[in-house]
Amino acid sequence: MTESPLPRFHLAVPVDDLDAARHFYGELIGCAQGRSSDRWIDWNLHGHQFVTHLAPGRRERVHNPVDGHDVPVPHFGLILTIPEFHKLADRFREAGTAFVIEPYLRFEGQPGEQWTMFLLDPAGNALEFKAFADDSQVFAV
């Protein structure tokens, strides 16, 4: 048995179309698919267990202002390297993905400087992908 050097998170989110989730998470983001049924799919999200559960219906949208943008809440995502961030942003653009917040450099020249982008999956779940100029600044104050 092997153990991860860092704790991994488990997150389950509702989706209204498993085929659309399969395309978005599997093909567009590039997550490897794990176990599945006709009601859910496990994904390997960079070593984390991410599950899409079939649950039709929309939730109320809430936003909080951050750095001059309306950030959707709740949201989840990954912290990537800067090259991985730009490669993923290019894949989203090539696929015609509509961004909630276009990729941009946030907090430029300040502690926690980071590239960030927000988008919705096909079920309306908000995702944020980010990349820090200095990874030691992830929890900077």
Side-chain angles (χ1 to χ4, degrees):
M1 177 169 74
T2 61
E3 292 186 24
S4 173
L6 293 173
R8 290 175 290 197
F9 71 76
H10 165 83
L11 176 66
V13 300
V15 299
D16 56 6
D17 183 331
L18 286 177
D19 288 332
R22 196 173 275 111
H23 171 75
F24 184 81
Y25 291 102
E27 296 175 31
L28 190 56
I29 294 181
C31 297
Q33 184 175 320
R35 295 177 304 265
S36 67
S37 80
D38 61 348
R39 305 283 306 166
W40 53 269
I41 303 170
D42 277 349
W43 301 100
N44 179 343
L45 185 65
H46 285 251
H48 301 284
Q49 187 185 39
F50 174 69
V51 186
T52 49
H53 281 272
L54 188 58
R58 296 278 179 190
R59 296 180 306 255
E60 178 184 348
R61 298 218 186 280
V62 178
H63 293 84
N64 280 334
V66 178
D67 193 35
H69 294 274
D70 287 331
V71 170
V73 178
H75 66 263
F76 67 95
L78 290 173
I79 299 172
L80 305 168
T81 65
I82 290 175
E84 289 172 326
F85 174 91
H86 289 294
K87 184 177 178 182
L88 184 58
D90 289 344
R91 277 204 319 258
F92 286 137
R93 286 185 188 106
E94 289 167 9
T97 302
F99 291 97
V100 173
I101 299 174
E102 291 276 341
Y104 81 103
L105 186 60
R106 176 192 282 170
F107 309 130
E108 189 170 4
Q110 301 175 45
E113 178 179 301
Q114 62 193 262
W115 283 94
T116 187
M117 62 179 150
F118 286 83
L119 56 132
L120 302 177
D121 75 2
N125 295 301
L127 290 90
E128 177 184 17
F129 295 93
K130 57 174 67 179
F132 283 82
D134 177 352
D135 198 56
S136 71
Q137 295 288 300
V138 170
F139 299 105
V141 292

